[in-house]
Amino acid sequence: MADGTPASLKSRVSEAEWQARVDLAALYRLVALHGWDDMIFTHISARVPGPEHHFLINPYGYYFEEITASSLVKVDLDGNIVQETSSFINPAGFTIHSAVHAAREDAHYVIHLHTVAGVGVAAQQHGLLPLSQNACLLQHQVAYHGYEGLALNHDERERLVADLGDKSLMLLRNHGTLAVGQTAAAAWVGMFFLERACAQQIAALSAGRDNVLIAPDAAQDETREQGKGIGFISALAWPGALRMLDRKSPGYDV
């Protein structure tokens, strides 16, 4: 199109793929609204429903606030683009996301960020500490993966998925945060709580480790049990997130 916006793909893809595209574009816009994007870097991906093992990822060079359902690029697990498009993808993004999608049947959506707070906690030896309610809700869901440089080496995929295991969240050491969800809502709420917990930890530790209260063990256990209802929370929060996008960042669903 003349303004650089891709023509709508809605009439050329299945209804299920279109919904995945809309939900994924919404995730990109939400990350941008929260200031969690990293210029044209980091990625969010979605599995395309169907037997082909295709997934959607952002076109390299687009800012997250520009992403639309039609601008997303469909690729296979080998990183080959399987749609007609003038766009291309970042191979580093493909390495991490293809690994998770291939290994986890429940990984329909994968969010990876490089936020200041997320990288800050990922670089701390002790990782995520039970300093806040958000951290206590999540600690049992958080995995860790050691830093190996830019994610260009396909050999790293096996180690990354082994470290992730069956967890839904990950701190990539010296690198950033990762969230996996069966729905866009679940991935979004998981990442929201993880990023909030990281920001709270950075704020708390600014006073020094000796002056910070660790949550009591009994309270940690209780909060962990209470956190098992997070799926219900995501179902409530997602419609509100979309309403916010309609007000503040319309046009993602075209």
Side-chain angles (χ1 to χ4, degrees):
M1 297 179 66
D3 63 356
T5 304
S8 177
L9 296 178
K10 185 174 183 178
S11 63
R12 291 183 276 163
V13 300
S14 69
E15 184 176 342
E17 178 177 332
W18 182 250
Q19 187 59 56
R21 285 177 172 272
V22 171
D23 286 344
L24 182 56
L27 287 174
Y28 277 101
R29 296 292 188 96
L30 286 167
V31 166
L33 275 179
H34 282 75
W36 294 343
D37 48 341
D38 186 15
M39 201 166 67
I40 61 172
F41 308 106
T42 77
H43 312 277
I44 313 171
S45 60
R47 178 177 295 156
V48 177
E52 296 87 359
H53 298 291
H54 293 162
F55 66 93
L56 302 166
I57 199 163
N58 51 319
Y60 203 16
Y62 279 55
Y63 278 60
F64 282 18
E65 66 185 23
E66 300 178 290
I67 297 294
T68 66
S70 296
S71 69
L72 293 161
V73 180
K74 184 162 59 175
V75 300
D76 64 20
L77 281 174
D78 294 319
N80 301 307
I81 294 176
V82 293
Q83 70 176 81
E84 184 179 346
T85 179
S86 60
S87 299
F88 60 101
I89 68 167
N90 181 345
F94 163 74
T95 300
I96 291 174
H97 290 255
S98 64
V100 179
H101 283 293
R104 291 276 296 270
E105 189 61 33
D106 63 331
H108 292 186
Y109 293 83
V110 179
I111 306 174
H112 170 48
L113 305 178
H114 295 161
T115 65
V116 173
V119 175
V121 173
Q124 293 175 0
Q125 188 171 4
H126 44 243
L128 187 66
L129 293 168
L131 301 176
S132 67
Q133 181 166 277
N134 285 328
C136 291
L137 285 168
L138 300 180
Q139 267 203 316
H140 64 292
Q141 301 180 42
V142 179
Y144 294 84
H145 174 65
Y147 187 55
E148 299 187 25
L150 293 176
L152 297 172
N153 185 355
H154 284 192
D155 291 342
E156 185 180 355
R157 292 187 293 186
E158 183 176 342
R159 294 184 290 276
L160 188 148
V161 299
D163 288 338
L164 180 62
D166 62 356
K167 301 292 181 64
S168 58
L169 302 169
M170 176 177 268
L171 287 173
L172 293 92
R173 294 295 196 178
N174 312 100
H175 187 172
T177 52
L178 185 91
V180 174
Q182 192 155 9
T183 64
W188 170 245
V189 169
M191 181 59 83
F192 181 89
F193 281 121
L194 179 58
E195 285 290 340
R196 185 60 61 89
C198 288
Q200 290 161 346
Q201 179 164 320
I202 295 296
L205 292 183
S206 67
R209 178 71 181 270
D210 292 341
N211 297 313
V212 171
L213 291 174
I214 298 292
D217 290 344
Q220 290 184 46
D221 293 341
E222 178 68 15
T223 309
R224 184 183 304 113
E225 287 300 310
Q226 294 167 336
K228 292 180 179 179
I230 198 168
F232 173 70
I233 295 172
S234 66
L236 284 176
W238 185 246
L242 297 182
R243 291 193 298 270
M244 181 176 68
L245 282 182
D246 289 338
R247 295 192 303 271
K248 297 184 176 182
S249 187
Y252 66 93
D253 54 348
V254 297

